[in-house]
Amino acid sequence: MNLVVLQNWLDNASFAILFLTMLVYWGGAAFPNLPYLAALGTAGMAIANLCIATLLGSRWIEAGYFPLSNLYESLFFLTWGITAVHLIAENSSRSRLVGVATAPVAMAIAAFATMTLPSQMQASEPLVPALKSNWLMMHVSVMMLSYSALMVGSLLAIAFLIVTRGQNIQLQGSSVGTGGYRSNGYRLHKATELTSQPPTPAVENNGFARFEPSSNGNGNGNTAVLNLVTTPESQAVASAEPLSPQRLSLAETLDNISYRIIGLGFPLLTIGIIAGGVWANEAWGSYWSWDPKETWALITWLVFAAYLHARITRGWQGRRPAILAATGLLVVWVCYLGVNLLGKGLHSYGWFF
């Protein structure tokens, strides 16, 4: 079998399948009473994943090296990673909204690789000396997988903002760090404690207030009295248009799975950057040269490190970390594609200007 013909067939088939899968997911979101659309969308993503894996495998056999040496190969590897992470996220969240966010991005990347890149950029070529190393598979594959996970996590964060209409809601999910507290604006008092006592200082809680238990009570009763304590933030949230229980449950699921997927992508990004430094020292005699790609990889690492720090240490949930993750999506695209196409450097595939 002619492997080049097979690759041409598979890349077009992957694009077509992803396009139909995107329509299925969007149709399922518009008509939620059609349950079979969710299973059809999952099947479409799985088939596209297998097609791209077969494409990369045939290219590996044809060229004799791991298929990550040019932009065409890396785009399809990125698409494969997004579809794989999508299947993990969808299986964990049981929400078809995951596909609504990820399917169009995967389809757009496949379309760009198949229809936009010139034929000379799609053809496999002999590796340059610097790429003839086992670090090609180690560094580039881990970086691409980290990009896939970070993109999917960021897309789910954007979906969270859309579902919640940008409101600063308080979540009850499990993705809360040591600095996070769950409070509904209530305060417990002992039965003999005066309820007119001044409130104790509030502690930050994702835009809400958590009131520490008071120790001024003189009684020894074991009964607690529940009093409502309102804050300006909680009053502002109460005045906003309330979300339905279904939206709140979906928002909590999206927030949780976004946090977990980004938590998967960040250590992969860290390992990839370290491996790249070792490879750079082996190839060019320097661990770090402030190449545009290296600089933006560091910026990407800092953005998502700030995201995880805010969630784990500060206990952020909801809108603020979602906005930070959405910013991270833009940074990832600049690091991966913008630097490669618009700037000259050791990692550039070419440039437009």
Side-chain angles (χ1 to χ4, degrees):
M1 179 182 292
N2 191 329
L3 293 179
V4 175
V5 175
L6 177 63
Q7 293 167 27
N8 293 334
W9 185 87
L10 286 172
D11 61 7
N12 286 283
S14 301
F15 161 71
I17 293 170
L18 288 170
F19 178 74
L20 294 175
T21 303
M22 178 191 69
L23 296 180
V24 168
Y25 274 115
W26 286 3
F31 304 99
N33 294 326
L34 300 176
Y36 66 88
L37 289 180
L40 192 60
T42 303
M45 275 292 192
I47 293 172
N49 182 273
L50 291 176
C51 285
I52 297 172
T54 305
L55 165 65
L56 295 173
S58 64
R59 200 172 181 90
W60 194 350
I61 295 173
E62 177 210 355
Y65 56 82
F66 194 70
L68 275 175
S69 64
N70 59 27
L71 182 58
Y72 175 83
E73 295 168 352
S74 71
L75 284 169
F76 269 106
F77 192 90
L78 177 66
T79 308
W80 176 84
I82 289 175
T83 55
V85 175
H86 160 89
L87 293 173
I88 297 173
E90 189 175 60
N91 182 67
S92 301
S93 64
R94 302 295 181 183
S95 172
R96 69 180 68 184
L97 196 60
V98 175
V100 174
T102 58
V105 174
M107 185 275 297
I109 296 173
F112 178 73
T114 304
M115 303 177 182
T116 304
L117 294 181
S119 57
Q120 62 268 23
M121 293 187 69
Q122 297 185 20
S124 58
E125 298 178 352
L127 294 177
V128 299
L131 296 180
K132 294 179 180 179
S133 170
N134 292 329
W135 288 105
L136 173 64
M137 182 185 300
M138 173 63 183
H139 166 63
V140 184
S141 62
V142 173
M143 289 297 293
M144 298 306 297
L145 288 175
S146 72
Y147 290 161
S148 301
L150 295 176
M151 285 180 183
V152 172
S154 299
L155 288 170
L156 295 180
I158 294 174
F160 169 86
L161 292 173
I162 295 173
V163 167
T164 60
R165 307 190 191 100
Q167 297 183 23
N168 190 23
I169 64 173
Q170 190 178 21
L171 302 174
Q172 303 297 320
S174 60
S175 57
V176 62
T178 56
Y181 305 93
R182 298 185 182 93
S183 169
N184 292 320
Y186 295 102
R187 179 183 176 191
L188 284 170
H189 298 276
K190 293 181 179 179
T192 55
E193 182 180 353
L194 296 177
T195 59
S196 60
Q197 292 176 353
T200 53
V203 180
E204 181 184 354
N205 179 21
N206 194 29
F208 292 83
R210 178 178 68 88
F211 291 89
E212 300 291 350
S214 175
S215 59
N216 297 330
N218 298 321
N220 295 321
N222 295 325
T223 305
V225 179
L226 190 63
N227 291 341
L228 178 64
V229 180
T230 60
T231 64
E233 292 86 355
S234 61
Q235 290 174 350
V237 173
S239 63
E241 182 181 354
L243 301 177
S244 65
Q246 292 81 4
R247 275 181 175 263
L248 289 173
S249 176
L250 178 58
E252 184 172 298
T253 300
L254 289 173
D255 178 79
N256 190 26
I257 196 66
S258 171
Y259 169 60
R260 294 177 186 277
I261 293 297
I262 291 176
L264 170 66
F266 182 76
L268 290 175
L269 178 65
T270 305
I271 295 172
I273 292 175
I274 294 173
V278 176
W279 186 14
N281 183 65
E282 179 183 292
W284 302 310
S286 174
Y287 288 99
W288 195 269
S289 59
W290 294 105
D291 180 75
K293 186 80 164 184
E294 296 172 352
T295 303
W296 277 96
L298 178 60
I299 294 172
T300 304
W301 189 91
L302 291 174
V303 169
F304 286 101
Y307 171 89
L308 293 175
H309 171 75
R311 296 206 66 140
I312 296 172
T313 304
R314 299 292 297 169
W316 281 16
Q317 285 185 303
R319 183 179 64 184
R320 289 188 293 179
I323 293 174
L324 190 57
T327 304
L329 178 64
L330 176 62
V331 173
V332 169
W333 273 113
V334 172
C335 176
Y336 168 63
L337 197 58
V339 172
N340 289 8
L341 295 177
L342 300 178
K344 297 181 180 181
L346 297 173
H347 296 79
S348 297
Y349 298 116
W351 52 91
F352 288 140
F353 305 107

